[in-house]
């Protein structure tokens, strides 16, 4: 076992904490059983100068692990060509008192909420390496500095590689992370730069990249699942004898009160068997709900007098009543499935004394909680190995149904690794969908065609009401995230200064479960608002870009992205016959975004 030097940092999140195992039960998972020393919790340095940076956020194609490694490497002052990454396990983090903090990856927060403490982890490791060199040379630490995986002594020109200093550095007292000055952004050489990705494109192209669905373990069997086709329904019965003799079938098991699984030697054999398995469902109270019923509920929300107000400035109703001209438009946004290329899957191995799961997860801690609950074992006897995701987009974060199911199946076949794979049909019909939403927009104008007021009524589902009800309860029944991009303030604030505006939400939840889906509520709100902005510009007799500029005049960053897009698409020139142009902007998740398009007919 290598030197275990763990740097304690104050971490800024409010995730629920699991009970840590006693210190006597701290056992490093296989990926961390290194004979080489940790230089703090975030860095392992090998004798050949390879730098292994630990990342706990998930990689699903967006480049997060490369960006996080850049943050550490920048402050560490190491050679980027020597950097590799590994995922620590949430079980090990738990046993070490959440030393790596949040494993959650979503909401565009993977890097921006990690930046400070991850950089400090690199800075601490750098200072320990520099101190080790100073001690070795018996010189003041102020005379030494780190650069490209070496520590150098200014007066003498001596230098020592990180690999040669790592063991001594790991034995030093850990300095106070907050007392170490981080690099000035003007001196950055890695952060914000375009670097070679650490998740190799070549491996993806050749198929060498291992995703969870590719995982192979000795003695492993494969399962697939069938769940009640109506949300809220349950499993009545199934006839296992009808398929038990089919090729490769090992077992047919009830997973929970709404699903059944077939375990076989291959996925194909499991899938063929479950397709023929006689199953009887109790479809429950939602069996006869149709799309028309859901739409009717949303339409009633558009006309309701009760709604949660997300933004109000001035008196929009009075402006509408007093106007010379009003316009109105309605918009609709449907249910949308995540549909990642890799369908839901997880692998689990259960015994009476331990449970381990290999999960393509956006939140290792959520997966760990699911494993603990489903296994019926103490946290100290459970762990999760994070495996690369073939897409996630929110489906593999807050929702761990696939992890729970894998453990429940494995629990019925102790000692045998079970890989549970959902079929594409299950993946499409058992999703946690982007919420369905309608919007009714109204605007008023005076005799000079100047905008005097806007009303925006949203009617539809609340994700938080289904997933984080405590937040809705704390907000007195309102879902604040519904107003992403059109909120009063914060990282989702509206990016226009419209006069007399009110934006509210009539909550209309359905039996179809909603979930966080890519940009979440900003998706529909951007479409609703920007489409209506074009309609308002037409009534005002203004160019769509100039209309947006007018109501963003006091917002320099909004103007900057609008102007950048307009310049690049040569907006000021007249398009050719049959060519049409559009431009739009939004602010959400702390980011200013604009886009333009040309459409030819």
């Amino acid at each position: 076992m290598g030197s275990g030097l763990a740097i304690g940092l104050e971490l800024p999140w409010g995730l629920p904490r699991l009970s840590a195992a006693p210190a006597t039960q701290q056992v490093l998972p296989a990926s961390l059983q290194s004979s080489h020393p940790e230089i703090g919790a975030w860095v392992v340095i090998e004798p050949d100068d390879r730098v292994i940076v630990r990342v706990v956020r998930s990689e699903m194609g967006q480049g997060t692990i490369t960006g996080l490694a850049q943050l550490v490497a920048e402050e560490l002052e190491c050679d980027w060509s020597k950097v590799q990454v590994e995922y620590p396990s949430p079980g090990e983090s738990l046993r070490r008192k959440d030393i790596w903090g949040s494993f959650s990856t979503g909401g565009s927060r993977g890097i921006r909420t990690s930046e400070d403490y991850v950089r400090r982890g690199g800075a601490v490791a750098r200072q320990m390496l520099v101190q080790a060199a100073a001690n070795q040379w018996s010189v003041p630490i102020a005379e030494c500095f780190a650069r490209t995986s070496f520590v150098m002594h200014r007066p003498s020109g001596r230098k020592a590689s990180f690999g040669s200093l790592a063991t001594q550095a790991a034995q030093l007292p850990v300095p106070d992370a907050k007392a170490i000055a981080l690099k000035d952004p003007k001196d950055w050489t890695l952060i914000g730069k375009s670097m070679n990705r650490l998740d190799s494109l070549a491996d993806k192209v050749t198929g060498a990249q291992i995703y969870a669905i590719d995982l192979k373990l000795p003695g492993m069997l494969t399962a697939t699942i069938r769940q009640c086709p109506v949300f809220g329904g349950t499993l009545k019965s199934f006839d296992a004898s009808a398929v038990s003799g089919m090729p490769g079938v090992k077992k047919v098991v009830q997973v929970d009160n709404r699903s059944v699984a077939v375990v076989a030697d291959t996925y194909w054999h499991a899938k063929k068997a479950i397709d023929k398995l006689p199953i009887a469902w109790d479809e429950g109270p939602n069996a006869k709900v149709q799309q028309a019923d859901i739409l009717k509920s949303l339409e009633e929300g558009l006309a309701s007098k009760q709604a949660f107000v997300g933004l109000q400035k001035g008196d929009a109703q009075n402006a509408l009543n007093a106007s010379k001209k009003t316009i109105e438009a309605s918009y609709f946004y449907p249910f949308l499935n995540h549909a990642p290329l890799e369908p839901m899957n997880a692998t689990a191995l259960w015994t009476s004394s331990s449970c381990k799961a290999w999960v393509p997860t956006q939140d290792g801690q959520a997966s760990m909680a699911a494993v603990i609950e489903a296994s019926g074992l103490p946290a100290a006897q459970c762990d999760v190995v994070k495996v690369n995701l073939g897409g996630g987009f929110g489906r593999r974060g807050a929702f761990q149904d696939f992890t729970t199911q894998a453990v429940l199946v494995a629990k019925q076949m102790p000692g045998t690794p079970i890989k549970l794979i959902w079929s594409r049909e299950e993946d499409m019909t058992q999703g946690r969908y982007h919420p369905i939403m309608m919007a009714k927009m109204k605007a008023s104008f005076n005799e000079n065609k100047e905008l005097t007021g806007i009303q925006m009524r949203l009617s539809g589902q609340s994700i938080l009401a289904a997933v984080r009800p405590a937040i809705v309860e704390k907000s007195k029944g309102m879902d604040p995230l519904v107003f992403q991009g059109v909120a009063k303030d914060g990282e989702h604030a509206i990016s226009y200064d419209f006069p007399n505006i009110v934006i509210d939400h009539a909550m209309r939840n359905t039996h179809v479960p909603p979930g966080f889906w890519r940009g979440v509520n900003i998706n529909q709100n951007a479409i609703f608002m920007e489409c209506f902005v074009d309609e308002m510009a037409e009534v005002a007799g203004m160019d769509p870009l100039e209309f947006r500029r007018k109501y963003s005049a006091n917002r320099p960053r909004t103007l900057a992205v609008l102007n950048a897009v307009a310049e690049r698409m040569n907006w000021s020139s007249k398009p050719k016959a049959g060519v049409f142009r559009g431009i739009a902007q939004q602010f959400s998740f702390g980011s200013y975004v604009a886009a333009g398009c040309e459409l030819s007919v």
Side-chain angles (χ1 to χ4, degrees):
M1 191 75 67
S3 305
L5 182 58
I7 296 173
L9 303 176
E10 185 177 337
L11 304 173
W13 44 78
L15 291 176
R17 299 299 189 193
L18 301 170
S19 298
T24 56
Q25 295 179 306
Q26 293 185 12
V27 179
L28 288 172
S31 63
L32 299 181
Q33 291 177 357
S34 171
S35 60
H36 306 302
E38 291 183 334
I39 315 298
W42 297 93
V43 176
V44 171
I45 297 180
E46 304 282 5
D48 61 2
D49 292 335
R50 279 181 297 139
V51 175
I52 299 172
V53 175
R54 290 172 177 157
V55 295
V56 298
R57 310 290 184 162
S58 299
E59 180 61 56
M60 43 190 163
Q62 79 279 41
T64 293
I65 61 171
T66 300
L68 289 169
Q70 285 176 256
L71 296 176
V72 174
E74 182 71 67
E75 299 294 341
L76 181 60
E77 294 284 6
C78 66
D79 181 345
W80 180 254
S81 68
K82 300 182 184 299
V83 173
Q84 300 175 354
V85 294
E86 73 171 12
Y87 293 131
S89 81
E92 175 60 14
S93 187
L94 176 62
R95 288 183 278 274
R96 294 171 67 174
K97 299 181 179 180
D98 288 332
I99 194 166
W100 289 293
S102 174
F103 280 59
S104 177
T105 310
S108 302
R109 290 180 172 87
I111 289 179
R112 64 191 176 108
T113 59
S114 304
E115 184 252 342
D116 183 74
Y117 68 86
V118 168
R119 286 177 63 196
R120 291 188 186 280
V124 164
R126 180 193 71 235
Q127 183 155 322
M128 295 170 71
L129 288 161
V130 173
Q131 183 67 66
N135 293 348
Q136 181 176 303
W137 297 328
S138 299
V139 299
I141 189 173
E143 294 180 357
C144 303
F145 66 97
R147 192 79 76 240
T148 59
S149 291
F150 284 92
V151 176
M152 305 180 188
H153 183 229
R154 284 189 181 89
S156 68
R158 282 180 291 183
K159 67 178 183 178
S161 70
F162 280 6
S164 68
L165 296 168
T167 300
Q168 300 95 304
Q171 297 168 3
L172 294 173
V174 181
D176 180 5
K178 293 183 178 179
I180 301 176
L182 298 179
K183 292 175 69 174
D184 190 301
K186 67 179 177 59
D187 298 323
W188 287 347
T189 60
L190 294 175
I191 296 176
K193 311 299 182 185
S194 181
M195 312 299 293
N196 290 333
R197 290 274 292 262
L198 297 178
D199 51 327
S200 166
L201 175 61
D203 286 349
K204 295 174 184 177
V205 171
T206 62
Q209 173 72 66
I210 299 298
Y211 296 95
I213 202 169
D214 305 316
L215 189 70
K216 294 181 180 178
L217 297 173
M220 185 178 73
L221 297 176
T222 303
T224 193
I225 195 167
R226 185 66 51 83
Q227 301 164 81
C228 185
V230 179
F231 293 109
T234 57
L235 172 67
K236 287 175 64 176
S237 64
F238 60 93
D239 182 5
S241 64
V243 300
S244 295
M246 291 183 66
V249 173
K250 304 299 183 182
K251 197 168 187 177
V252 182
V253 301
Q254 181 171 340
V255 182
D256 51 32
N257 72 345
R258 67 180 304 267
S259 58
V260 59
V262 172
V263 183
D265 56 352
T266 67
Y267 172 75
W268 181 245
H269 283 150
K271 176 69 165 60
K272 294 292 286 184
I274 207 163
D275 286 345
K276 292 184 178 297
L277 181 67
I279 306 173
W281 306 106
D282 178 354
E283 296 185 343
N286 303 314
K288 295 184 179 180
V289 176
Q290 299 295 315
Q291 176 84 344
D293 302 315
I294 295 173
L295 296 180
K296 181 180 178 181
S297 173
L298 268 61
E299 288 165 354
E300 291 170 351
L302 293 179
S304 174
K305 293 183 179 180
Q306 294 184 333
F308 300 103
V309 177
L311 170 64
Q312 187 165 13
K313 184 178 71 173
D315 190 338
Q317 186 60 57
N318 184 59
L320 284 165
N321 293 339
S323 70
K324 296 295 183 181
K325 181 176 179 59
T326 62
I327 61 169
E328 184 176 306
S330 294
Y331 301 97
F332 170 67
Y333 203 91
F335 291 117
L336 292 171
N337 191 27
H338 296 81
L341 186 61
E342 178 189 31
M344 299 301 105
N345 72 93
T347 300
L349 173 61
W350 187 93
T351 70
S352 60
S353 60
S354 68
C355 185
K356 179 179 275 189
W358 291 258
V359 187
T361 178
Q362 289 180 243
D363 188 343
Q365 290 158 322
S367 298
M368 179 70 172
V371 169
I372 294 168
E373 182 176 1
S375 70
L377 297 171
Q381 294 169 238
C382 299
D383 209 347
V384 170
V385 178
K386 289 181 61 178
V387 191
N388 286 314
L389 293 71
F393 321 121
R395 179 63 177 90
R396 289 181 155 113
F399 313 104
Q400 294 291 322
D401 45 346
F402 54 96
T403 303
T404 296
Q405 292 164 355
V407 174
L408 291 175
V409 175
K411 197 173 179 180
Q412 299 182 62
M413 301 189 72
T416 301
I418 303 294
K419 183 199 292 183
L420 174 70
I421 303 176
W422 285 22
S423 68
R424 181 65 65 193
E425 294 88 344
E426 286 293 301
D427 201 68
M428 295 299 293
T429 59
Q430 300 290 335
R432 300 296 182 266
Y433 302 89
H434 185 287
I436 192 169
M437 193 73 67
M438 286 184 178
K440 179 173 283 187
M441 313 283 292
K442 295 180 181 179
S444 56
F445 299 81
N446 63 20
E447 61 275 7
N448 296 321
K449 297 184 178 181
E450 295 172 329
L451 179 67
T452 59
I454 297 178
Q455 286 183 344
M456 180 180 188
R457 162 61 61 87
L458 298 166
S459 176
Q461 279 181 297
S462 160
I463 301 174
L464 291 184
V467 180
R468 301 281 189 268
I471 297 177
V472 174
E473 184 178 342
K474 185 177 180 181
S475 302
K476 299 180 179 179
M478 183 177 81
D479 178 350
L481 291 187
V482 164
F483 301 102
Q484 286 178 334
V486 292
K488 178 182 178 182
D489 50 30
E491 69 173 14
H492 300 293
I494 192 169
S495 47
Y496 290 113
D497 294 311
F498 292 134
N500 299 312
I501 183 170
V502 61
I503 299 176
D504 56 22
H505 172 228
M507 192 181 294
R508 293 294 184 273
N509 293 319
T510 80
H511 75 289
V512 178
F516 303 107
W517 186 97
R518 296 173 170 86
V520 200
N521 294 291
I522 182 59
N523 297 335
Q524 68 264 19
N525 291 342
I527 292 172
F528 300 160
M529 181 59 75
E530 288 301 286
C531 286
F532 197 60
V533 166
D534 280 344
E535 299 202 36
M536 291 190 293
E538 185 173 352
V539 172
M542 294 182 66
D543 173 84
L545 173 61
E546 292 308 317
F547 188 86
R548 288 173 169 82
R549 283 172 170 166
K550 177 179 179 178
Y551 292 103
S552 305
N554 297 319
R555 298 173 179 267
R557 296 188 70 179
T558 298
L559 285 174
V561 293
L562 272 172
N563 291 337
V565 170
E567 178 185 348
R568 283 161 177 77
M569 66 187 303
N570 199 19
W571 182 273
S572 60
S573 67
K574 184 177 180 179
K576 297 178 181 179
V579 175
F580 304 88
R581 291 175 179 162
I583 196 165
Q585 68 81 27
Q586 270 295 330
F587 170 76
S588 195
F589 292 97
S591 295
Y592 296 81
V593 179
C597 74
E598 284 192 349
L599 177 69
S600 60
V601 178

